[in-house]
DNA sequence: AATCTTTTGTTACTCGGTTGCATTTTCGGG
DNA sequence: CCCGAAAATGCAACCGAGTAACAAAAGATT
């Protein structure tokens, strides 16, 4: 039973891709707020309602790529190797993503990726929408943490919130390094150090610094 | 030099107040999304552009009250009594707010306050806007923490992010307790315990639970 | 009272997003 | 191969948030 996608499904995928690609291209060229959804629809030769049947909001034309990463933290925890702690697995994974120059770490100097990150981090409506995605991410991670360590829901929830928050700060920090004109060669070691600092803090708490 | 506000200024304050009050009243009665800004403007007998001269967005008709609390965490740290740690001051302050049934803690069973919180926590656009306010709060707290403990910007930024995040979770948790039908009498002790748990975790880190 | 400045109302517009309905396109079975 | 159901699209009109331009009104100043 080969389940070929079928013509209809293939066309849909192509339209979806065309919409997202064209949109991002236009947004990067002229700015997110300077391009209307009608412009995007016209460029793809599709009607406005059709565009919204594919993407529920203008922001999603940009963010669905990031949204695809959803649940990554939870998966890392669930899929960690035996004997590894949840926090250890997350730390290791973050270093890996950094080393791979994964765009979501903010550390990638491909011009297009950089422009993309600039756009996301400087456009309020995109940032706002991004937060909603993180909310889901947080829930999933909380679930994985309960599973992994048997802690109560509140503790796991608090931990998940802190971890996701820290990831966001780190990514933003990395983006800022590049935005300030530093090169990846210079920024990467700093980013690793920052990540270690952040995870040390997560693990050992704020007490040593802020409770004496 | 008595600097009386002057008629103009007084009128402006009154209009602003009327807009906010009327808006909240209508929103609570019929739902945030079921009331248009035109409705609010009409009810106050003011034109739509005038409304937007007072509040930059519909959401701010609701949130400006919360926004007025902005920088509270930073102030608590800056204004802590001698010999008190930043974290200790914040913890104590949170318990105080809880005891005072401050609406921002989520724990208040006045029907209007409850309806207000229900609205804020269940309306995505309000939630999104709230996040932006917290962002500012976070920056301010980070600044205060640098001042207070001489830590570097990254550490202070991470700490501030974690603290603000935890406050949000606690408030949301408290709101949920009430939303689930529990009374304040029952929920308050739990809320204190939750807060202690959260601050213990903040101080001592996630290591003990998630790094073994 | 005359004037200057700030605030307001009116009208009209842009843009994101939705709705209803007719039309086209794909799929599936005979 | 054809025909009908189901899905996807287009069209046109609409709603609500927010803004721009400009004229009218009201408070402040001398």
């Amino acid at each position: 039973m080969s389940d070929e996608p079928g013509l209809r499904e293939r066309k849909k995928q192509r339209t979806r891709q065309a919409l997202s690609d064209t949109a991002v291209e236009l947004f990067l060229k002229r700015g997110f707020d300077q391009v209307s959804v009608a412009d995007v629809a016209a460029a793809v030769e599709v009607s406005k309602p059709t565009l919204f049947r594919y993407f529920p909001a203008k922001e999603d034309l940009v963010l669905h790529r990031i949204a695809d990463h959803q649940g990554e933290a939870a998966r890392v925890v669930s899929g960690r190797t035996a004997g590894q702690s949840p926090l250890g697995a997350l730390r290791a994974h973050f270093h890996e993503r950094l080393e791979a120059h994964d765009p979501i770490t903010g550390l990638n100097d491909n011009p297009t990726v950089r422009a993309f990150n600039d756009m996301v981090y400087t456009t309020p409506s995109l940032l706002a929408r991004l937060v909603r995605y993180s909310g889901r991410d947080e829930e999933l991670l909380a679930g994985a943490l309960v599973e992994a360590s048997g802690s109560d829901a509140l503790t796991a929830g608090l931990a998940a919130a802190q971890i996701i928050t820290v990831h966001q700060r780190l990514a933003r920090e990395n983006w800022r390094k590049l935005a300030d004109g530093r090169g990846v060669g210079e920024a990467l070691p700093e980013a690793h150090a920052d990540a270690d600092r952040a995870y040390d803090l997560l693990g050992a708490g704020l007490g040593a610094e802020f409770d004496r």
Side-chain angles (χ1 to χ4, degrees), chain A:
Chain A
M1 41 179 76
S2 71
D3 68 74
E4 300 260 340
L7 175 54
R8 183 139 70 198
E9 203 56 31
R10 260 180 293 145
K11 268 199 166 179
K12 273 173 61 174
Q13 293 309 328
R14 232 183 307 141
T15 303
R16 185 181 167 84
Q17 197 63 40
L19 280 170
S20 169
D21 290 350
T22 310
V24 170
E25 185 188 332
L26 291 177
F27 292 158
L28 291 182
K29 196 182 329 176
R30 306 193 340 237
F32 184 78
D33 293 317
Q34 275 61 57
V35 177
S36 74
V37 294
D39 292 339
V40 176
V44 184
E45 292 183 300
V46 147
S47 74
K48 198 168 55 144
T50 295
L51 183 153
F52 282 108
R53 281 178 199 117
Y54 283 91
F55 296 93
K58 185 185 184 187
E59 288 77 20
D60 295 311
L61 285 163
V62 174
L63 296 180
H64 79 101
R65 304 172 178 204
I66 297 180
D68 290 348
H69 282 241
Q70 202 156 66
E72 187 164 327
R75 278 193 300 278
V76 168
V77 169
S78 303
R80 89 204 111 105
T81 66
Q84 201 173 22
S85 74
L87 219 48
L90 287 166
R91 184 198 290 244
H93 182 256
F94 195 88
H95 283 298
E96 274 173 35
R97 296 333 298 154
L98 227 37
E99 211 54 49
H101 302 100
D102 190 324
I104 59 163
T105 63
L107 256 198
N108 184 312
D109 58 354
N110 173 302
T112 305
V113 173
R114 277 206 46 185
F116 184 90
N117 283 338
D118 286 354
M119 174 171 70
V120 172
Y121 283 113
T122 58
T123 307
S125 64
L126 288 174
L127 231 34
R129 192 109 187 153
L130 204 49
V131 169
R132 284 171 58 173
Y133 287 127
S134 325
R136 179 94 190 99
D137 235 29
E138 194 180 306
E139 287 177 34
L140 293 171
L141 176 56
L145 287 178
V146 168
E147 192 72 23
S149 74
S151 42
D152 59 298
L154 176 67
T155 303
L158 288 164
Q162 290 182 228
I163 291 166
I164 298 292
T165 297
V166 163
H167 281 179
Q168 287 171 349
R169 280 259 354 171
L170 286 174
R172 209 191 173 92
E173 192 69 26
N174 290 336
W175 164 72
R176 291 248 9 255
K177 289 184 204 296
L178 298 191
D180 286 355
R182 248 168 294 181
V184 168
E186 187 184 349
L188 186 59
E190 293 179 17
H192 279 296
D194 288 354
D196 276 327
R197 176 87 186 105
Y199 269 97
D200 287 347
L201 214 53
L202 267 179
L206 309 178
E209 304 256 355
F210 302 102
D211 206 11
R212 358 155 236 135

